[in-house]
């Protein structure tokens, strides 16, 4: 019932967002324009309204839903696997690796497609190296994996700093900085077509395996006693969460706080059971990023970067959660 209500609210928010902006369109007209693609309806709107909804706003809305859901699902999965509510989707360096890959492509003059591919490859490469380090040092403990993520994140951030130092301050540096702050302003149907399938596949696997996240959160010995293959299950969940984060970052840039805060809010709504937290996080994250992106479009004449808004909203809320937890413990 909670998921149904949240999904209905998200759909209502999407219809409202499609009509908001400098060119205002009432929600009834938006629904008619969308339905006209599936059924025959008498045309009572002008061509400009249809172009604004179908060409400009709808791809951006769907991208916001996809990116927000992917980051939240990834964050919920990471927090469950690592048994730590402070874990974010970029813990193993996927965001810093994607930033380094995108910056390298920008530095060599790549177009938007090359930048997205480089970002995706950089994120996957960073996590791949991070998961390889425990095997090299012959220590497969959770702490070693966390430290490996810290090492790779620091290394990728150093590469990013070097690339920003070498970038042309008039053109390339501005593009790198804008990409780091996150934006959906350039969203097109192509992004949904080529990023949608891996996001859908990884999200589907995480939702199917969400009960195994509960077992992993019990501890290694308890999970082994229940017949769970720790390494294989943890690796599959990390791969899926990494694909979600890398896919999201490659089309939107770095957007912070969503994968950290939304799973917490989902636990407040649905409890600590990951069987509920993971799907609720996906829907709630999608709605949250759509709301933030809509505010970024309409608040000022020049669009605000998404990471600024998510930080302004997420940081105070996270502080509230910490204060609430402290009062409960006392």
């Amino acid at each position: 019932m909670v998921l149904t209500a949240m999904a209905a609210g998200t759909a209502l928010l999407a219809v409202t967002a499609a009509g908001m902006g400098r060119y205002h369109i009432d929600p009834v007209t938006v629904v008619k324009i969308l339905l006209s693609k599936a059924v025959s309806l008498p045309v009572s709107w002008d061509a400009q309204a249809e172009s604004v909804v179908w060409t400009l706003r709808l791809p951006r809305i769907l991208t916001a839903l996809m990116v927000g859901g992917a980051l939240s699902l990834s964050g919920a999965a990471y927090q469950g696997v690592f048994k730590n509510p402070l874990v974010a989707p970029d813990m193993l360096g996927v965001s810093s690796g994607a930033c380094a890959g995108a910056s390298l492509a920008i530095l060599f003059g790549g177009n938007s497609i090359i930048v997205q591919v480089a970002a995706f490859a950089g994120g996957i490469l960073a996590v791949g190296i991070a998961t390889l380090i425990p095997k090299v040092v012959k220590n497969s403990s959770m702490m070693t994996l966390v430290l490996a993520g810290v090492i790779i994140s620091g290394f990728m951030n150093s590469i990013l700093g070097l690339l920003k130092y070498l970038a042309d301050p008039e053109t390339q540096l501005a593009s790198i900085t804008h990409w780091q702050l996150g934006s959906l302003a350039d969203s097109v149907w192509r992004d949904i077509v080529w990023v949608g399938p891996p996001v859908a596949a990884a999200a589907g696997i995480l939702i199917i395996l969400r009960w195994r996240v509960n077992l992993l959160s019990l501890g290694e010995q308890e999970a082994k006693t229940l017949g769970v293959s720790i390494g294989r299950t943890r690796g599959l969940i990390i791969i899926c969460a990494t694909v979600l984060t890398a896919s999201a970052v490659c089309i939107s840039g770095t957007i912070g706080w969503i994968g950290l805060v939304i799973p917490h809010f989902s636990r407040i709504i649905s409890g600590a059971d990951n069987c509920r937290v993971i799907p609720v996080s996906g829907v709630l994250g999608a709605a949250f990023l759509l709301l933030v992106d809509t505010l970024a479009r309409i608040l000022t004449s020049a669009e605000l970067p998404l990471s600024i808004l998510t930080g302004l909203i997420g940081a105070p809320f996270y502080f509230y959660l910490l204060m609430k937890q402290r009062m409960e413990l006392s």
Side-chain angles (χ1 to χ4, degrees):
M1 292 177 62
V2 171
L3 279 175
T4 302
M6 291 174 60
T10 303
L12 180 61
L13 177 61
V15 171
T16 305
M20 298 180 69
R22 296 181 185 179
Y23 187 85
H24 179 74
I25 306 170
D26 64 273
V28 176
T29 303
V30 171
V31 173
K32 289 181 178 179
I33 292 173
L34 296 178
L35 290 177
S36 67
K37 300 298 180 179
V39 298
S40 178
L41 293 176
V43 178
S44 59
W45 57 87
D46 55 33
Q48 185 177 3
E50 182 172 355
S51 177
V52 167
V53 171
W54 190 255
T55 306
L56 296 179
R57 293 179 184 169
L58 187 57
R60 182 164 181 168
I61 289 171
L62 294 178
T63 304
L65 294 173
M66 181 172 62
V67 170
L71 292 175
S72 301
L73 274 173
S74 178
Y78 269 119
Q79 290 177 9
V81 169
F82 289 94
K83 299 177 292 183
N84 190 339
L86 300 178
V87 169
D90 57 351
M91 188 198 69
L92 295 181
V94 59
S95 293
S96 55
C99 283
S103 301
L104 185 64
I106 292 173
L107 194 65
F108 283 94
N111 57 28
S112 60
I113 297 178
I114 295 177
V115 171
Q116 291 176 349
V117 172
F120 183 85
I124 297 296
L125 177 63
V127 176
I129 297 174
T131 55
L132 186 62
I133 289 178
K135 296 180 180 179
V136 173
V137 299
K138 297 181 180 180
N139 187 341
S140 59
S141 66
M142 191 73 72
M143 182 58 66
T144 304
L145 184 59
V146 172
L147 293 176
V150 174
I151 293 170
I152 296 303
S153 294
F155 182 73
M156 289 296 176
N157 284 328
S158 297
I159 293 178
L160 177 61
L162 176 62
L163 295 175
K164 292 173 70 174
Y165 178 78
L166 297 175
D168 185 345
E170 298 296 329
T171 56
Q172 296 171 334
L173 183 59
S175 298
I176 293 174
T177 303
H178 179 74
W179 198 90
Q180 280 186 279
L181 293 176
S183 175
L184 297 174
D186 298 327
S187 300
V188 292
W189 285 106
R190 183 193 67 238
D191 297 335
I192 300 172
V193 170
W194 81 270
V195 175
V199 168
I205 294 173
L206 281 182
I207 291 174
I208 292 173
L209 295 178
R210 64 189 186 275
W211 65 276
R212 288 182 176 266
V213 178
N214 280 338
L215 299 182
L216 291 177
S217 64
L218 296 175
E220 293 191 6
Q221 294 300 326
E222 290 81 356
K224 288 181 179 178
T225 303
L226 294 172
V228 178
S229 176
I230 300 296
R232 186 178 302 174
T233 303
R234 182 191 297 162
L236 180 58
I237 293 173
I238 288 176
I239 289 173
C240 291
T242 300
V243 169
L244 286 175
T245 304
S247 299
V249 172
C250 77
I251 59 175
S252 66
T254 305
I255 303 176
W257 289 98
I258 294 180
L260 180 62
V261 174
I262 296 300
H264 280 276
F265 196 65
S266 300
R267 292 186 187 94
I268 295 176
I269 296 174
S270 61
D273 187 358
N274 286 296
C275 289
R276 297 181 179 181
V277 169
I278 288 179
V280 169
S281 295
V283 178
L284 189 61
F288 175 73
L289 186 57
L290 176 56
L291 176 62
V292 170
D293 184 59
T294 303
L295 292 176
R297 286 197 293 113
I298 66 177
L299 284 180
T300 60
S301 56
E303 286 194 19
L304 291 172
L306 294 179
S307 285
I308 294 177
L309 287 177
T310 55
L312 291 175
I313 297 172
F317 178 74
Y318 203 66
F319 177 74
Y320 163 75
L321 290 178
L322 292 177
M323 291 298 296
K324 182 180 179 181
Q325 184 180 18
R326 179 183 176 184
M327 289 186 292
E328 289 176 352
L329 292 176
S330 61

